[in-house]
Amino acid sequence: MTILYAVIVLALAVVVIIERRALRIKAQRRWWFTILLWVVAAAMLILPVWQKGGQQYLISGLFIAAVIVLLTLWRQGLTEFAVINGMLATRAFSGLTGYMLTETPDKPLAITFYGGSVRVTTLHLLASADEVRTFLKKHAPQIKPLREAPGER
């Protein structure tokens, strides 16, 4: 079982590294969620030692903590082929039809992607509106900029 845990953590680490290298425009991190996960990971490291559990209990705690830490390293943003909103929420540009940018002076640029009239995701990007428009024109020309959300007309 320990070997299986090691293989899973290694595979997840490889996926996180590939994902981080693929990101071209990063989204703002949700720090409150990241800190919450770090607290849970720390608890999973401390509890087995504090409760004086057996070796398997310690290994399980280490595995869970490692997976949680790797999940906190996962970033949201735009790649050359997709919108990454989470581990299980990657949307290829081919499935999207439009996007709407919302600029506010004191917050990061918000971009909302649509598939038809359905809102797919909203990200707060760490880039300017011009950078995002240029990026999307180059890598996803089929996605059209929208002035208002579909269905609000």
Side-chain angles (χ1 to χ4, degrees):
M1 196 64 152
T2 304
I3 294 172
L4 179 62
Y5 286 159
V7 169
I8 291 170
V9 168
L10 183 63
L12 182 58
V14 168
V15 169
V16 168
I17 290 168
I18 290 170
E19 181 267 342
R20 298 278 304 224
R21 293 182 53 85
L23 277 180
R24 297 294 175 250
I25 298 177
K26 294 179 181 176
Q28 184 178 31
R29 187 180 282 277
R30 295 181 200 141
W31 282 109
W32 62 270
F33 188 67
T34 301
I35 291 169
L36 175 68
L37 287 178
W38 287 343
V39 168
V40 171
M44 294 311 299
L45 287 174
I46 294 169
L47 282 175
V49 174
W50 181 57
Q51 293 181 344
K52 296 178 179 40
Q55 181 181 4
Q56 200 59 27
Y57 190 49
L58 291 171
I59 291 170
S60 295
L62 181 63
F63 168 74
I64 293 168
V67 169
I68 290 172
V69 168
L70 285 171
L71 291 177
T72 65
L73 296 177
W74 189 271
R75 289 295 302 262
Q76 297 173 319
L78 304 178
T79 68
E80 294 177 356
F81 56 89
V83 176
I84 298 179
N85 190 33
M87 284 195 120
L88 299 175
T90 299
R91 304 283 187 244
F93 286 142
S94 60
L96 302 172
T97 58
Y99 67 92
M100 190 169 65
L101 296 173
T102 307
E103 295 182 79
T104 52
D106 57 338
K107 294 183 180 180
L109 174 71
I111 184 168
T112 303
F113 288 96
Y114 294 91
S117 62
V118 177
R119 183 177 66 88
V120 175
T121 188
T122 300
L123 295 175
H124 297 279
L125 300 177
L126 301 173
S128 69
D130 292 333
E131 287 177 280
V132 173
R133 283 187 195 100
T134 303
F135 180 84
L136 289 173
K137 279 181 188 174
K138 180 179 179 184
H139 298 289
Q142 76 279 8
I143 302 175
K144 303 300 178 204
L146 304 171
R147 294 193 186 275
E148 61 183 36
E152 291 183 8
R153 296 176 192 155

